Amino acid sequence: MAALEKRRPAVAPGAGFSDGGRPTASRAAAGAESEEDFLRQVGVTEMLRAALLKVLEARPEEPIAFLARYFENLGLRSPASGGAGDPPGQLLLQQQRLSRALWHLRLAHHSQRAAFNNNVSVAYECLSAGGRKKKPGLDGRTYSELLRRICREGEAPDAAVAPLLRKLQCRDHEAVPLGVFRAGMRTCFVLLEFVARAGALYRLLEDPALAAADRRVGQAVLDTLEGALQTGDGDEAAPARYLEAGSRLGPDNVALAMDRAVVARRPCVPMHREEFLEKAAALFIAKVKPVG
Amino acid sequence: MLSPERLALPDYEYLAQQHVLTYMEDAVCQLLENKEDISQYGIARFFTEYFNSVCQGTHILFREFSFVQATPHNRASFLRAFWRCFRTVGKNGDLLTMKEYHCLLQLLCPDFPLELTRKAARIVLLDDAMDCLMSFSDFLLAFQVQFYYSEFLESVAAIYQDLLSGKNPNTVVVPTSSSGQHRQRPTSGEASMLEGVEASLFCQCLENLCDRHKYSCPPPALVKEVLSKAQRLTFYGFLVALSKHQGTNQALGALPDKGDLMHDPAMDEELERLLVQVPGLANSVTASPETSCLPSRTPPRGASPWRPHHHPHKVDAESDGSTEETDESET
């Protein structure tokens, strides 16, 4: 932040006096000052400061594209665009709130704990802000709707995520506290990533000609995964358990299980992607504690 | 999915690595120069468009040289813009001189330094006279290496000179970009019987250089491969090999493969569509609009009634080094 502040005066004079030969020192100083004033008055300084903070918080891989999206969203929100007409209906307002909350939630990956938690709080505030006909606070209906949208846009099969939604949902008229909201959001994003990785795993097993995987092999992989997840059970999640789970998922272990499955030679029907993902997701969801 | 190194960097280093502040500063400068735009469209919209154009690589068009060369992304964008704008020159098979290519560069970047164009031309022409004709793709591939790896090549030149004069390469001090004298070739008196330096030694020094170089440099494996093909080689021998190597072009990522340099069906279609719309030109769709602003030695192809109007004016405005051609075309 300070860097931007310090650097700007050095840049501004060049931009302002490109036409006027060599300006005197005082003129340059006055120009720089008025330009800084101008930037502050119209809100550029504040806007860039907020944007830069967001970049640093989220550390996106492509910050320039991130900034383009950031400002685009900012432009859509500002009353200058589309604020002149009739006041939008309640339904539209609700949709806008949801989109805005979603956008905040997606700014940082859930593994960046501090940034993600921060964004969850902002999203929570977005959704629970009071309006003319709306009491402040977040109700279960909006929360469930948001969960559904995240899952829908996460490209996971419905059947795979539906059990999670059932577990995490609150009743429509229940008030949702921040803690529940945060846990729900994080679980949802982690599950989506889990499903995405399970999808990648399935692609390795799949026979492209049949668009299906061998059931014995698929089941063996799922069983190994389940075994590994069960190691994590216990009173305390000691690091040793993570290590053990990791070793159970090691390539040789999985290969051994797959090998055994193929040798068993039981007759079977092929396993399709949806089924594999559903079963994998079920393993994860079994670990999620229901709300309340 | 996530590259953790990025997350572990200190804030300032992350921003510097991605050149975030460079673009933010430039966005503010642009905004100050276009104050009337923001009162009309709003600041957020202005920034949206600015950052979108940076992503698309159109932000360097007609900008000052200091900005065009400021970041690797800007350089790659400029190379791509140059290729896209003047690809038809190559397609028509025109051969141009160094000065003419320089005029083309100046159409996109008015203060583009002649020195850089000259260095690129030397990679193509070597010891030949500098007013020889070059094909578009030869020039482009040499130019991209010279332009994109400018600072790296300066350091390479210094190392080469030191090796030639027999200094210990490990004590080489990398010069700043301001030193430009080491391009001089050794006079025949001090040059040894064999031309150039020993490739393996040169390679060792360049490997060191790649390790500590803060500007972009070609992938070290590529440098090694280029140098492993010869026993001894000269500085320009190295540059020629580097610029012609397919891997260089791929690593840089701004241009398509050499074979596809002239191939861009979507753009061709667009051009033809535009040309059909120009009245009086319907029967000469093969002539390209870009070549019209060139000082050209070949007689105009096809019927081009608009040529006399555009030609003298453009030449006056954009080229200051090619008076002979201008004279020719005006008589």
Side-chain angles (χ1 to χ4, degrees):
Chain A
M1 213 58 254
L4 187 70
E5 286 291 281
K6 263 185 256 158
R7 281 161 144 236
R8 192 174 299 127
V11 171
F17 293 101
S18 53
D19 50 346
R22 280 183 57 193
T24 61
S26 63
R27 244 186 84 198
E33 208 165 272
S34 72
E35 280 182 343
E36 266 203 57
D37 282 346
F38 170 79
L39 292 174
R40 207 168 299 127
Q41 270 167 22
V42 296
V44 172
T45 312
E46 200 37 57
M47 194 185 270
L48 285 182
R49 170 170 301 167
L52 195 55
L53 277 176
K54 270 288 168 233
V55 170
L56 284 178
E57 203 180 85
R59 296 272 180 124
E61 215 161 334
E62 290 174 353
I64 302 302
F66 177 91
L67 282 170
R69 279 198 308 277
Y70 177 89
F71 286 116
E72 193 171 354
N73 194 278
L74 213 61
L76 294 178
R77 282 163 59 180
S78 72
S81 59
D86 297 324
Q90 280 299 311
L91 198 67
L92 191 66
L93 212 64
Q94 172 78 355
Q95 286 303 316
Q96 279 177 356
R97 271 206 198 98
L98 279 176
S99 312
R100 204 177 307 159
L102 258 178
W103 179 72
H104 282 292
L105 287 170
R106 290 224 173 90
L107 280 178
H109 190 260
H110 58 79
S111 63
Q112 289 164 265
R113 211 36 91 76
F116 182 76
N117 283 348
N118 204 350
N119 290 333
V120 168
S121 308
V122 176
Y124 185 76
E125 272 165 36
C126 266
L127 290 171
S128 54
R132 252 177 312 136
K133 284 189 188 163
K134 182 180 173 298
K135 291 199 185 101
L138 172 64
D139 59 10
R141 190 211 309 269
T142 316
Y143 165 72
S144 306
E145 167 80 28
L146 186 64
L147 283 176
R148 270 197 297 278
R149 268 188 72 172
I150 293 174
C151 290
R152 204 164 54 221
E153 288 165 32
E155 289 174 0
D158 282 345
V161 292
L164 178 80
L165 292 181
R166 273 198 297 280
K167 263 192 172 174
L168 289 180
Q169 263 168 6
C170 294
R171 288 199 194 86
D172 277 2
H173 296 286
E174 236 171 1
V176 180
L178 177 60
V180 171
F181 180 75
R182 186 189 296 140
M185 291 302 133
R186 192 186 303 135
T187 313
C188 201
F189 279 110
V190 173
L191 174 72
L192 287 178
E193 190 168 335
F194 180 84
V195 171
R197 296 202 173 199
L201 184 61
Y202 174 79
R203 271 196 295 282
L204 294 176
L205 302 175
E206 186 182 35
D207 179 355
L210 297 173
D214 190 301
R215 175 169 299 274
R216 295 162 301 183
V217 176
Q219 196 56 51
V221 171
L222 287 172
D223 289 346
T224 318
L225 189 60
E226 188 177 7
L229 282 173
Q230 251 143 27
T231 352
D233 279 348
D235 308 320
E236 75 261 67
R241 293 186 186 280
Y242 294 134
L243 286 177
E244 197 186 332
S247 87
R248 286 203 185 194
L249 283 177
D252 39 347
N253 234 328
V254 178
L256 213 65
M258 286 164 70
D259 204 40
R260 232 179 285 133
V262 176
V263 169
R265 287 207 171 278
R266 257 169 283 149
C268 62
V269 285
M271 185 183 254
H272 291 280
R273 182 171 180 270
E274 283 71 25
E275 191 190 344
F276 185 85
L277 291 186
E278 210 176 304
K279 285 190 169 162
L283 295 177
F284 175 91
I285 293 168
K287 299 276 164 196
V288 177
K289 291 195 190 81
V291 170
Chain B
M1 199 165 280
L2 271 173
S3 58
E5 307 86 43
R6 185 182 80 235
L7 305 174
L9 285 177
D11 284 350
Y12 194 81
E13 269 174 45
Y14 165 74
L15 293 178
Q17 190 195 49
Q18 308 275 346
H19 302 281
V20 176
L21 294 183
T22 310
Y23 291 113
M24 277 195 157
E25 273 175 16
D26 188 59
V28 171
C29 290
Q30 296 297 309
L31 182 129
L32 286 171
E33 282 178 24
N34 301 284
K35 284 183 193 167
E36 64 283 2
D37 276 12
I38 56 162
S39 53
Q40 199 176 345
Y41 301 115
I43 305 167
R45 170 96 181 267
F46 182 90
F47 283 141
T48 308
E49 274 170 25
Y50 178 84
F51 287 107
N52 271 329
S53 78
V54 174
C55 288
Q56 290 157 7
T58 51
H59 62 302
I60 40 78
L61 288 173
F62 318 117
R63 293 293 305 275
E64 64 280 5
F65 180 71
S66 58
F67 180 69
V68 168
Q69 59 130 36
T71 69
H73 172 67
N74 285 7
R75 294 183 189 196
S77 303
F78 185 77
L79 286 167
R80 206 173 159 74
F82 181 74
W83 167 68
R84 292 200 62 156
C85 288
F86 303 116
R87 186 179 53 94
T88 42
V89 173
K91 224 177 141 203
N92 290 341
D94 281 337
L95 301 175
L96 304 181
T97 63
M98 185 270 290
K99 280 181 181 167
E100 288 164 339
Y101 281 116
H102 186 64
C103 292
L104 294 184
L105 289 167
Q106 284 190 321
L107 287 178
L108 298 181
C109 171
D111 63 340
F112 200 89
L114 182 64
E115 191 51 29
L116 210 51
T117 321
R118 187 174 288 141
K119 282 182 185 171
R122 188 165 287 138
I123 299 178
V124 182
L125 300 172
L126 296 176
D127 284 329
D128 290 339
M130 284 302 278
D131 51 2
C132 277
L133 297 169
M134 290 169 273
S135 82
F136 182 73
S137 53
D138 282 351
F139 176 77
L140 185 60
L141 291 178
F143 176 73
Q144 84 165 342
V145 167
Q146 180 61 57
F147 178 59
Y148 195 86
Y149 297 127
S150 210
E151 293 81 4
F152 172 75
L153 295 189
E154 292 266 337
S155 308
V156 174
I159 288 175
Y160 179 78
Q161 280 306 313
D162 283 344
L163 284 179
L164 264 191
S165 55
K167 267 193 223 164
N168 185 347
N170 294 327
T171 58
V172 164
V173 180
V174 179
T176 55
S177 55
S178 59
S179 55
Q181 296 92 331
H182 36 254
R183 256 182 315 95
Q184 291 162 357
R185 324 203 118 212
T187 58
S188 51
E190 65 188 37
S192 55
M193 303 300 278
L194 295 159
E195 215 196 354
V197 297
E198 205 188 316
S200 59
L201 192 59
F202 196 27
C203 184
Q204 216 174 18
C205 299
L206 294 195
E207 240 172 87
N208 277 336
L209 178 67
C210 287
D211 280 348
R212 64 202 150 98
H213 209 264
K214 61 183 197 287
Y215 297 102
S216 355
C217 48
L222 195 76
V223 173
K224 221 170 172 175
E225 193 195 324
V226 165
L227 287 172
S228 67
K229 284 184 182 153
Q231 286 276 309
R232 302 183 70 82
L233 82 178
T234 61
F235 178 58
Y236 277 96
F238 169 65
L239 291 194
V240 170
L242 190 65
S243 67
K244 289 197 170 158
H245 197 290
Q246 181 87 325
T248 311
N249 196 18
Q250 276 163 5
L252 221 142
L255 305 174
D257 283 351
K258 194 183 178 201
D260 292 333
L261 274 182
M262 303 311 152
H263 192 70
D264 191 353
M267 186 72 147
D268 285 342
E269 229 167 73
E270 178 78 11
L271 270 181
E272 299 216 346
R273 201 177 55 74
L274 287 173
L275 283 168
V276 169
Q277 289 169 6
V278 180
L281 213 93
N283 54 354
S284 66
V285 282
T286 47
S288 57
E290 285 96 344
T291 49
S292 66
C293 49
L294 276 182
S296 171
R297 73 192 67 256
T298 50
R301 280 171 300 273
S304 44
W306 34 273
R307 200 180 185 96
H309 302 291
H310 288 246
H311 196 170
H313 167 75
K314 288 267 182 169
V315 168
D316 282 351
E318 267 112 14
S319 76
D320 41 8
S322 55
T323 42
E324 17 170 295
E325 282 87 10
T326 322
D327 292 341
E328 254 172 48
S329 59
E330 272 172 354
T331 47

